[in-house]
């Protein structure tokens, strides 16, 4: 009777396990993690991760900033000590048609993403010992 009960219990366990979905194997989990890691690494520097269409100097071109407008904004950023509200209210003719949103976008996506030093040693990085960029040194 004990053998019959054990066999019945084993059969019931096997039947219930057959109804449960199979979980992923250790190898499947490792492969999924590797794929996720690769996608996140590839997207890490992507502007889309931040909800932006583009970032850096191309953003100025995408949003139609002329060289004259760029120069005017940069002059006024320094003049008003980076107070974008003051810059937007300055009445500068070259910035006519540019909203506060445009200026904030330029400041965060172009101005702040520019290097403040030249990579003068060929190591593809701006590190201690590299020479300051002239515009950054004047600021």
């Amino acid at each position: 009777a004990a053998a019959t009960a054990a066999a019945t219990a084993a059969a019931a366990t096997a039947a219930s396990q057959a109804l449960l979905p199979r979980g992923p194997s250790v190898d499947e989990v490792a492969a999924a993690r590797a794929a996720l890691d690769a996608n996140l690494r590839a997207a890490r520097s992507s502007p889309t991760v931040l909800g932006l269409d583009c970032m850096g100097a191309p953003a100025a071109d995408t949003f139609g900033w002329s060289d004259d407008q760029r120069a005017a904004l940069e002059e006024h950023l320094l003049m008003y000590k980076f107070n974008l509200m003051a810059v937007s209210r300055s009445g500068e003719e070259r910035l006519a048609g540019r909203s506060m949103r445009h200026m904030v976008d330029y400041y965060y996506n172009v101005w702040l993403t520019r290097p403040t030093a030249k990579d003068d040693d060929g190591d593809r990085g701006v590190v201690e010992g590299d020479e300051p960029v002239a515009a950054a040194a004047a600021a």
Side-chain angles (χ1 to χ4, degrees):
T4 305
T8 304
T13 302
S16 67
Q17 287 178 347
L19 296 175
L20 294 175
R22 181 185 72 81
S25 70
V26 172
D27 291 337
E28 290 170 329
V29 170
R33 283 186 176 160
L36 176 62
D37 185 55
N39 288 336
L40 290 175
R41 286 184 192 280
R44 182 173 45 190
S45 62
S46 171
T48 57
V49 172
L50 302 173
L52 303 170
D53 294 327
C54 58
M55 195 163 117
D61 297 329
T62 300
F63 297 115
W65 282 86
S66 69
D67 290 340
D68 196 38
Q69 287 176 322
R70 293 177 205 201
L73 180 62
E74 293 174 14
E75 289 167 17
H76 282 71
L77 282 172
L78 296 173
M79 184 185 313
Y80 290 101
K81 298 181 180 179
F82 303 96
N83 182 337
L84 287 167
M85 184 61 73
V87 172
S88 71
R89 294 180 177 175
S90 69
E92 169 60 50
E93 289 181 19
R94 295 178 292 173
L95 295 175
R98 290 293 175 182
S99 67
M100 177 69 163
R101 183 181 188 283
H102 293 139
M103 293 180 197
V104 168
D105 184 66
Y106 184 92
Y107 178 74
Y108 283 102
N109 292 315
V110 179
W111 177 272
L112 288 181
T113 61
R114 296 186 310 192
T116 56
K118 287 190 262 186
D119 177 24
D120 59 358
D121 56 8
D123 65 357
R124 298 188 58 171
V126 178
V127 295
E128 189 174 325
D130 286 337
E131 293 296 319
V133 171

